[in-house]
């Protein structure tokens, strides 16, 4: 069972939501698609494993707590049949004041929180584990996150402004025009994005545009792919198909079939657009 919690101010400026997940896993192996949110997870059950789709088959074992950086493509997540964990979804740019290192270093990576927070990561997990109710865990995690919040705001407001502009346009805007509007060179904007967000503005815009496509797909209806590509301001349909292959490993038709199967099997879980059953 997933419980969704929106934190109170001032944490809600940085955090989109906190999740508490417990019970039977909807799938023991999933394909995780690119997201605009860096995730922080505290695990109270059996370890999970993240793997890459390339031939090297690189695995990262996730035991107690970890950070999931932004990705340029999909990865695989394997969990035990029963799970118990808490996850924090940071807003774009929101993780930096808590983690205190250039988030480009977490690009395409899953990193143990111990490597970033040291012993404090274990203290947080232990206190959360000992809390007796889900609501008590939410309240405690908010307080512990605020204890890690720094004043590292230099450039963050500008980055957040740029992210909001990208989101409003669903990724279909000129990065050159955006940097000029903000009074920054493209190089300056790219540097600030890589530091505080983890991707370049262009890469972030590409993810937003692709997610706009996913949000507007009805898995149970016929799809006019040419119209979908036009609405998302792709140059042409082939560019839309190229993003599908890069971000999901599937053609649009294959992806839609898997979404339909997932929706029929578990309609509640199918709403999570960046999760796809992987067998």
């Amino acid at each position: 069972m997933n419980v969704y919690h929106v934190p109170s101010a001032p944490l809600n400026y940085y955090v989109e939501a906190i999740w508490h997940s417990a019970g039977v896993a909807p799938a023991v192996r999933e394909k995780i698609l690119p997201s605009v949110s860096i995730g922080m997870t505290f695990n109270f059950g059996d370890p999970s494993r993240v793997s890459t789709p390339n031939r090297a088959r690189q695995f990262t074992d996730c035991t107690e707590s970890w950070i999931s950086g932004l990705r340029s493509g999909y990865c695989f997540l394997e969990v035990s049949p029963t799970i118990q964990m808490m996850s924090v979804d940071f807003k774009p740019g929101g993780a930096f004041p808590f983690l205190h290192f250039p988030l480009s270093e977490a690009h395409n990576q899953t990193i143990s929180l111990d490597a970033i927070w040291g012993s404090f990561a274990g203290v947080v997990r232990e206190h959360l584990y000992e809390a007796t109710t889900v609501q008590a865990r939410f309240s405690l995690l908010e307080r512990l996150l605020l204890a890690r919040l720094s004043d590292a705001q230099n450039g963050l407001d500008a980055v957040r402004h740029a992210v909001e502009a990208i989101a409003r346009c669903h990724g279909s805007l000129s990065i050159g025009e955006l940097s000029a509007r903000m009074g920054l060179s493209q190089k300056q904007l790219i540097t600030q994005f890589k530091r505080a967000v983890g991707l370049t503005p262009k890469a972030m815009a590409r993810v937003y545009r692709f997610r706009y496509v996913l949000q507007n797909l009805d898995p149970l209806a016929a799809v006019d792919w040419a119209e979908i590509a036009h609405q998302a301001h792709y140059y042409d349909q082939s560019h839309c198909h190229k993003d599908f292959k890069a971000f999901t490993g599937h053609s649009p038709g294959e992806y839609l079939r898997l979404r339909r199967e997932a929706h029929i099997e578990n309609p509640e879980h199918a709403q999570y657009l960046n999760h796809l059953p992987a067998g």
Side-chain angles (χ1 to χ4, degrees), residues 27-49:
V28 295
R29 189 169 188 265
E30 293 183 307
K31 183 176 284 188
I32 307 300
L33 310 185
S35 169
V36 297
S37 299
I38 283 181
M40 176 186 293
T41 301
F42 297 93
N43 183 36
F44 313 119
D46 293 330
S48 299
R49 171 176 280 189

Side-chain angles (χ1 to χ4, degrees), residues 5 15 33 99 127 176 198 211 220 230 242 276:
H5 172 74
V15 174
L33 310 185
L99 301 178
H127 286 336
R211 287 180 62 80
L220 302 183
H230 174 72
K242 182 179 178 181
L276 200 62

